[in-house]
Amino acid sequence: MIHDFISEKMIYILAPVLAVAIAALCTPMIAEFGRIIGAVDIPDGKRKLHTGIVPRIGGIAVYAAFAIVSAAVMMYKYGYFPDSYAIILVGSVCIMLLGFLDDVFDLPALMKFSFEVVIAVFTVLFGGTFDYLTVFGTTVVFGVWGIPITVFWLVLLTNSINLIDGIDGLATGTSSLALLALAVSAVIMGDDVNALIAVALFGATMGFLPYNSNPASIFIGDCGALTLGYIMGCISIFGFFKAQAFFTLVIPSIIFALPLFDAVIIFFKRLFMGVNPFKGDRLHIQFIMLDLGFSVKQSVAILYVSSAVLAAAAILFIKFKLVALTLVFMTFEFLFFLKHAPSLKKKNVKPPAAESEGSRG
């Protein structure tokens, strides 16, 4: 009978609204829970420049809102859990618990990475791999390499969101924009399952964002950042990559261009510098913005706008490829200009201590 009151289109509005409400209600309780168990971030004056002790397990609230709403809409629309959604649900619980343990006990980087690979392998084996790609009529078959390629993509994206989680609201806000682009693109492609997953998680991040914005009263933590990256990676694999056409590979690559580019560049920079590639430092784009003299709010605004342009470019790529690629080029050219502008380099001052969240990425 409930189907008589809720139309197919209304569910795309109700799902994020409900997720916003649940996340907003859960976040203060999760913050208190974090204080009780000692899952908090303590400033160190280097990469963790916030003042005061801040709970760092906000991702639990985000995930709770996502899980409740997504499960409800799947049962409403289908009467059961579609296979791809069931796999995402199991995998995301595992990755969220891994992040939670890291937030509480500060797990060794190699141990955490190993478990991420195991979860990614489970996801790929049960959900399917990126087996071949059609580029302008030519088919490239990956064969047995499809599994490691897909696992690599999922682990890379999972960690790229975590690595960009360096200042208040950045990972949450950029993920919200990416999820919105994923949802719109999935709707255009007729992929209702992944569209509903995306809008549910979008609502959950938006409900959490006010608490996470500068000055943040709670951080999303590894339990949140890793989970966001994992679920978005799954959406790209189960939705876009299944089409096996070149443009479906490009769309998620554009959506996630900013965190992916940052993660890859910093990884190789650390290798060339002879330091541990998993060791945190101030080489990430968010810290570059701060060191150029921008405040946290200004840095986040610049990266939000950049992410929004990339999200729009990904959607436009479906019909207007040249326009989309031009927007991508202009976005990175703008960020490159900011980094190398002589007038900005003269500032080169660190932001006030109260304004930076500072993750361990």
Side-chain angles (χ1 to χ4, degrees), residues 23 26-41 53-64 96-106 165 172 208 211-212 217-225 227 357 360:
C26 289
T27 299
M29 293 184 285
I30 295 300
E32 185 59 30
F33 176 63
R35 295 187 187 96
I36 292 172
I37 66 173
V40 295
D41 239 350
I53 297 175
V54 181
R56 61 184 182 192
I57 55 172
I60 296 177
V62 175
Y63 186 75
M96 190 271 291
L97 290 175
L98 175 64
F100 173 74
L101 291 175
D102 187 47
D103 289 327
V104 176
F105 300 108
D106 198 9
D165 181 26
T172 307
F208 176 76
Y211 299 96
N212 190 225
S217 60
I218 185 172
F219 299 153
I220 197 167
D222 280 14
C223 63
T227 305
E357 171 180 340
R360 296 187 305 281

Side-chain angles (χ1 to χ4, degrees), residues 330-349:
M330 291 175 62
T331 300
F332 280 98
E333 185 68 20
F334 168 70
L335 293 174
F336 182 83
F337 168 77
L338 286 183
K339 180 180 177 181
H340 296 281
S343 59
L344 292 175
K345 284 195 168 194
K346 291 178 182 177
K347 296 181 181 180
N348 195 28
V349 292

Side-chain angles (χ1 to χ4, degrees), residues 27 41 67 73-74 93 121 124 128 151 186 191 208 224 244 258 264 268 275 298 304 306 344 358:
T27 299
D41 239 350
V73 296
M74 291 299 169
V93 167
V121 169
V124 171
V151 168
D191 185 356
F208 176 76
Q244 308 295 359
L258 189 60
V264 172
F268 284 105
V275 300
Q298 290 171 335
Y304 274 4
S306 300
L344 292 175

Side-chain angles (χ1 to χ4, degrees), residues 67-76 78-87 89-90 193:
I68 293 170
V69 172
S70 61
V73 296
M74 291 299 169
M75 290 303 296
Y76 163 77
Y78 301 104
Y80 61 92
F81 288 169
D83 290 344
S84 60
Y85 172 71
I87 294 167
L89 203 59
V90 173
V193 173

Side-chain angles (χ1 to χ4, degrees), residues 25 31 38 57 63 81 99 109 139 153 161 180 193-194 211 214 224 233 252 280 296 310 323 327:
L25 289 173
I57 55 172
Y63 186 75
F81 288 169
T139 300
W153 168 265
I161 302 301
L180 188 59
V193 173
N194 285 294
Y211 299 96
N214 182 255
V296 168
L310 291 172
V323 173
L327 288 175

Side-chain angles (χ1 to χ4, degrees), residues 163-346:
L163 293 173
I164 206 171
D165 181 26
I167 52 179
D168 296 347
L170 182 57
T172 307
T174 54
S175 294
S176 298
L177 292 166
L179 286 161
L180 188 59
L182 286 172
V184 173
S185 300
V187 168
I188 293 173
M189 295 172 64
D191 185 356
D192 289 336
V193 173
N194 285 294
L196 289 172
I197 293 172
V199 295
L201 189 54
F202 167 74
T205 57
M206 292 302 293
F208 176 76
L209 187 57
Y211 299 96
N212 190 225
S213 298
N214 182 255
S217 60
I218 185 172
F219 299 153
I220 197 167
D222 280 14
C223 63
L226 291 176
T227 305
L228 287 174
Y230 171 82
I231 295 176
M232 290 191 291
C234 287
I235 292 173
S236 66
I237 292 171
F238 298 153
F240 295 88
F241 288 179
K242 288 298 183 184
Q244 308 295 359
F246 179 65
F247 83 93
T248 57
L249 170 64
V250 175
I251 291 173
S253 298
I254 293 175
I255 292 174
F256 306 125
L258 189 60
L260 286 176
F261 183 81
D262 181 70
V264 172
I265 292 298
I266 299 308
F267 181 83
F268 284 105
K269 266 190 177 182
R270 289 170 180 169
L271 286 179
F272 290 140
M273 293 169 61
V275 300
N276 185 348
F278 299 104
K279 183 178 176 63
D281 51 39
R282 292 183 65 89
L283 294 175
H284 292 288
I285 189 169
Q286 64 268 24
F287 295 118
I288 291 175
M289 292 290 149
L290 296 176
D291 290 342
L292 285 172
F294 293 108
S295 69
V296 168
K297 287 184 172 65
Q298 290 171 335
S299 300
V300 170
I302 290 170
L303 296 175
Y304 274 4
V305 170
S306 300
S307 297
V309 173
L310 291 172
I315 297 171
L316 288 171
F317 189 83
I318 299 175
K319 296 291 184 182
F320 307 100
K321 293 176 177 54
L322 183 59
V323 173
L325 293 176
T326 301
L327 288 175
V328 174
F329 174 79
M330 291 175 62
T331 300
F332 280 98
E333 185 68 20
F334 168 70
L335 293 174
F336 182 83
F337 168 77
L338 286 183
K339 180 180 177 181
H340 296 281
S343 59
L344 292 175
K345 284 195 168 194
K346 291 178 182 177

